Amino acid sequence: MGETLAEKILSLKSGKKVSTGEIVLANLDFIMAQDGTAPLVIKAFNEMGGERVFDSSKIAFVIDHSAPSPNEGVSSLHKMMRDFAQKYGIILYEVGEGVCHQLLPEKGHVVPGDLVIGADSHTCTYGALGAFATGLGSTDLAAALISGKMWFKVPETFELILKGKLPRGVYSKDLALFLIGKITADGATYKSIEFKGGAIKELSVEARFTLSNMAVEMGAKVGLIAPDEETLTWVNKHSRKKSNPLFSDDDALYEKSFEFNVSYLEPQVAKPHQVDNVIPIGEVEGTEISQAFLGTCTNGRLEDLEIAAQIMKGRKVKSGVRFIIAPASREIFLTAIKKGLIEVLVEAGGVVVTPGCGCCVGTHNGIPSDGENIISSANRNFKGRMGNPNAFIYLASPATVAASAIEGKIADPRKYLEKRLD
Amino acid sequence: MVLKGKVHKFNIDDLNTDYIISGRYKFKTIDMKELSQHLMEDLDESFYQKIKPGDFIVAGKNFGCGSSREQAPLVIKFAGISAVLAKSFARIFFRNAINTGLPVIECDTDQIENGDEIEVNLEEGQVKNITKNLILSIKPLPQMMIKILNDGGLVEHFKKYKGFKID
């Protein structure tokens, strides 16, 4: 029997041929924690009697969730991270470097075939490079810092075959939301997802990150995309590590197989307060919004800023609407400045905040008030997610966010893109 | 381990980690006693006051979906809750709960109502609903998790074996 991509990587890293359902101990290629989880990692590390880390070059702490610190409590936790990083010589990404899930691939820490864990649920993002990457909690991370290993239950795999080509104005975010609506918030719990098919081949690596990022919103452990030429070109630009592209075998066994043609997909929106509460944009168009947010590990990449700037150029954010932009990393921010994208967005009335998680996690940088609707390019719309349980979060693509910022209500971005063609 | 107490039922699926402990608190401190006062605050403002040590939280499917924050099982434990019962759990929460020594039990929670008195027997793998005089079976945990839970969580497991003990 052949192996799925998840089985391939776990077999390689555990040094034996694994089978579904089996519990294996595997060697890790990279480990990450952020400022919401690293303090508890440090606490558990100390309680375990940790004296050294297994390999300081394979561990990074990222300060991105509350960056710069909004209060003294957070400041003392940041200091705890800095002290630990210095003591053990691990990599520290400081305030303003960007979101952990952008930084790990961008700085070359993750390549195809790697096994990566992070104390953040969206660690599955790197599945887009064909790496087995998954989120775990702080105590697991502490054990990994010491041993360089982690135990995994070998997951069953769902195969999601995406045929056709996304139409103009419809993006990988729309596809991610559509799939979550179909599979539901717990439909792939514990499973590995393999995204495949012609529609995936057509996506840029940046767009693929968006898709893998949201695999966890279906409950999945990993959201994998087999590496191709596009992937390797991207990775070689960012990393000096040796890639090990692995692929599922033709006779691999899938627990379930789904097939969708994406050629007629419309822009999608996830309504409050569940990510799987997904509808085509037509059903929610015209809903008034008070804030639009562009950024996060889902959609704060250069391509996303380009799409938004394309729509915003020469237009203005609707009076009374706050348009907040958080580039996913310093590198993206700088490139966007050089390309004139930031100028377009700020001229239109946008507000750029520090590269990082911005207002997605409700720590600072744009907490909505009671009763307000927000359109956001993030990955979660849970009640209270952005810091106020009485606000309503709608999730959509960067294009939909930009179009909605212009109109002050949820708007279909396609009309703006069509006009540009004239 | 036999646990006995009263049920606090949240009659919803997908009870996420932002409900358990909101991001507006969890990033500020790692003092779990302080954080635990905000447990489920956005669902029930006075929830913390209603808990008696040993009580249970009961909910529908996909409990604990969302963030990887270990603060979620920790605040439940520090609030005095002895175990969480749900139809199913999100995987990171499930792992975190076991690692931090909070028993998580998969069973048919439709048979349990708010205010019911229940008894959970982890060894025998059953839940007794004393109020309704019903016995519910528990979906067994993987061996690795039983070992970690019996050791008192992953910190203790790791100290005991100087690493992961798989077999």
Side-chain angles (χ1 to χ4, degrees), chain A residues 111-320:
Chain A
V111 297
D114 273 357
L115 177 59
V116 180
I117 61 167
D120 188 284
S121 59
H122 293 108
T123 303
C124 54
T125 307
Y126 329 132
L129 298 178
F132 189 106
T134 193
L136 295 169
S138 297
T139 306
D140 271 328
L141 252 281
L145 292 195
I146 297 169
S147 67
K149 295 176 195 296
M150 185 47 55
W151 70 270
F152 298 93
K153 189 171 161 195
V154 181
E156 296 88 5
T157 297
F158 283 4
E159 174 185 44
L160 266 60
I161 304 164
L162 302 154
K163 295 194 160 170
K165 191 181 173 201
L166 287 174
R168 190 174 175 76
V170 181
Y171 304 91
S172 65
K173 176 59 162 288
D174 299 300
L175 178 54
L177 292 174
F178 171 78
L179 293 173
I180 293 161
K182 291 287 174 203
I183 309 281
T184 76
D186 69 337
T189 299
Y190 294 103
K191 311 298 178 194
S192 162
I193 290 176
E194 280 185 32
F195 298 103
K196 45 171 80 170
I200 301 297
K201 286 260 167 221
E202 292 280 330
L203 296 178
S204 68
V205 171
E206 293 200 351
R208 294 178 196 183
F209 281 131
T210 305
L211 202 52
S212 291
N213 174 270
M214 294 195 75
V216 69
E217 308 310 331
M218 303 178 237
K221 192 173 200 161
V222 289
L224 301 168
I225 297 174
D228 60 11
E229 280 300 312
E230 183 98 12
T231 319
L232 297 176
T233 307
W234 194 95
V235 167
N236 291 335
K237 230 191 275 176
H238 291 88
S239 183
R240 276 191 244 160
K241 277 174 68 173
K242 195 179 174 313
S243 287
N244 183 13
L246 295 171
F247 309 92
S248 49
D249 293 321
D250 291 339
D251 58 345
L253 193 66
Y254 295 98
E255 184 175 288
K256 279 186 191 166
S257 195
F258 301 84
E259 197 176 302
F260 300 100
N261 187 329
V262 306
S263 297
Y264 302 98
L265 194 68
E266 294 184 280
Q268 306 283 306
V269 175
K271 293 198 295 181
H273 297 286
Q274 299 287 133
V275 187
D276 60 359
N277 195 6
V278 178
I279 45 155
I281 192 153
E283 291 179 35
V284 74
E285 230 180 327
T287 304
E288 284 195 22
I289 54 143
S290 302
Q291 183 168 310
F293 175 48
L294 175 64
T296 77
C297 55
T298 316
N299 277 126
R301 300 191 173 80
L302 191 66
E303 196 174 275
D304 303 318
L305 301 182
E306 274 169 347
I307 293 164
Q310 189 189 348
I311 291 172
M312 292 309 266
K313 196 169 171 60
R315 298 195 171 93
K316 292 279 178 212
V317 172
K318 178 86 172 176
S319 164

Side-chain angles (χ1 to χ4, degrees), chain B residues 111-128:
Chain B
Q111 310 298 325
I112 306 171
E113 279 179 277
N114 194 36
D116 282 358
E117 190 86 10
I118 61 169
E119 189 181 281
V120 173
N121 188 324
L122 290 170
E123 271 79 44
E124 289 177 12
Q126 66 175 33
V127 176
K128 190 196 262 177

Side-chain angles (χ1 to χ4, degrees), chain A residues 8-205:
Chain A
K8 272 262 171 77
I9 299 174
L10 288 176
S11 287
L12 180 74
K13 301 299 173 184
S14 64
K16 62 170 190 174
K17 190 165 163 43
V18 303
S19 50
T20 299
E22 184 185 357
I23 287 182
V24 297
L25 195 61
N27 293 315
L28 301 166
D29 294 297
F30 205 80
I31 302 171
M32 181 278 298
Q34 35 84 348
D35 51 333
T37 54
L40 285 179
V41 173
I42 297 168
K43 189 167 174 275
F45 179 90
N46 292 333
E47 283 170 4
M48 284 173 178
E51 286 167 352
R52 61 185 67 85
V53 297
F54 85 107
D55 184 344
S56 58
S57 69
K58 293 182 177 175
I59 303 162
F61 280 179
V62 184
I63 300 179
D64 59 359
H65 275 55
S66 314
S69 168
N71 59 56
E72 64 200 66
V74 170
S75 302
S76 71
L77 296 177
H78 285 174
K79 183 173 186 308
M80 191 175 167
M81 290 171 71
R82 292 183 185 113
D83 291 348
F84 185 93
Q86 191 170 25
K87 184 172 177 187
Y88 295 98
I90 65 164
I91 302 157
L92 177 75
Y93 289 112
E94 263 293 351
V95 170
E97 293 265 16
V99 186
C100 52
H101 303 310
Q102 172 59 23
L103 290 174
L104 258 60
E106 183 186 288
K107 300 290 185 187
H109 299 305
V110 185
V111 297
D114 273 357
L115 177 59
V116 180
I117 61 167
D120 188 284
S121 59
H122 293 108
T123 303
C124 54
T125 307
Y126 329 132
L129 298 178
F132 189 106
T134 193
L136 295 169
S138 297
T139 306
D140 271 328
L141 252 281
L145 292 195
I146 297 169
S147 67
K149 295 176 195 296
M150 185 47 55
W151 70 270
F152 298 93
K153 189 171 161 195
V154 181
E156 296 88 5
T157 297
F158 283 4
E159 174 185 44
L160 266 60
I161 304 164
L162 302 154
K163 295 194 160 170
K165 191 181 173 201
L166 287 174
R168 190 174 175 76
V170 181
Y171 304 91
S172 65
K173 176 59 162 288
D174 299 300
L175 178 54
L177 292 174
F178 171 78
L179 293 173
I180 293 161
K182 291 287 174 203
I183 309 281
T184 76
D186 69 337
T189 299
Y190 294 103
K191 311 298 178 194
S192 162
I193 290 176
E194 280 185 32
F195 298 103
K196 45 171 80 170
I200 301 297
K201 286 260 167 221
E202 292 280 330
L203 296 178
S204 68
V205 171

Side-chain angles (χ1 to χ4, degrees), chain A residues 336-357:
Chain A
I337 289 171
K338 285 174 195 154
K339 289 190 146 197
L341 307 175
I342 298 296
E343 194 181 342
V344 169
L345 296 170
V346 173
E347 242 171 24
V351 179
V352 182
V353 300
T354 314
C357 303

